């Protein structure tokens, strides 16, 4: 079992920045691929960014160049640095972990989820 706890969400003006953190506990973290997803009201949960155990990363096109995913295996923590935020980035952001080393873009391929943290970007 892996437990995930997100933090760092909040209200920010367009153009601002936030850094989300996700602390993992319960089993070996370093071999898990991690992902960040988001879900806006009335929409499906969508992939935002993923990172493999080795540090390879992937991003959805709307956030490329603005968001950066990283991990600190010593702290069992994955981060999502979000810059140049836009109102369309408003959503609940979820951290997720896979039981394998490679990231995926499909939510169903992640076995463990955090409770989510709200990000609201005002125009």
């Amino acid at each position: 079992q892996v437990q995930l706890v997100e933090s760092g969400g909040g209200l920010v003006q367009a153009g601002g920045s936030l850094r989300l953190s996700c602390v993992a506990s319960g089993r070996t973290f370093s071999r898990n691929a991690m992902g960040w997803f988001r879900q806006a009201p009335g929409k499906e949960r969508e992939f935002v960014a993923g990172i493999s155990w080795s540090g390879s990363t992937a991003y959805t096109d709307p956030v490329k160049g603005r968001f950066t995913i990283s991990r600190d295996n010593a702290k069992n923590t994955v981060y999502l640095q979000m810059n140049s935020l836009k109102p369309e980035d408003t959503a609940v952001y979820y951290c997720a972990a896979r039981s394998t080393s490679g990231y995926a873009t499909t939510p169903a391929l992640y076995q463990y989820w955090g409770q989510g943290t709200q990000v609201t970007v005002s125009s």
Side-chain angles (χ1 to χ4, degrees):
Q1 283 287 343
V2 175
Q3 292 80 43
L4 304 172
V5 179
E6 302 104 330
S7 63
L11 173 64
V12 65
Q13 289 187 332
S17 299
L18 286 173
R19 188 176 80 156
L20 306 183
S21 300
C22 173
V23 179
S25 61
R27 58 170 287 175
T28 301
F29 170 79
S30 62
R31 291 291 181 175
N32 291 100
M34 303 295 294
W36 284 99
F37 291 78
R38 65 187 180 186
Q39 188 166 17
K43 296 188 177 181
E44 294 187 351
R45 191 168 298 189
E46 64 174 358
F47 173 79
V48 175
I51 186 166
S52 71
W53 73 271
S54 63
S56 298
T57 59
Y59 300 90
T60 187
D61 283 346
V63 309
K64 284 180 179 177
R66 301 188 298 122
F67 291 11
T68 303
I69 188 172
S70 60
R71 64 190 298 162
D72 184 338
N73 289 338
K75 296 182 178 180
N76 285 357
T77 302
V78 63
Y79 303 97
L80 185 68
Q81 178 66 45
M82 305 186 295
N83 298 329
S84 301
L85 283 161
K86 303 176 180 180
E88 51 263 44
D89 294 317
T90 295
V92 177
Y93 283 70
Y94 296 91
C95 172
R98 296 192 72 197
S99 298
T100 61
S101 58
Y103 57 76
T105 61
T106 303
L109 296 179
Y110 287 79
Q111 289 75 42
Y112 308 102
W113 292 85
Q115 82 286 353
T117 185
Q118 177 70 47
V119 171
T120 303
V121 184
S122 63
S123 57

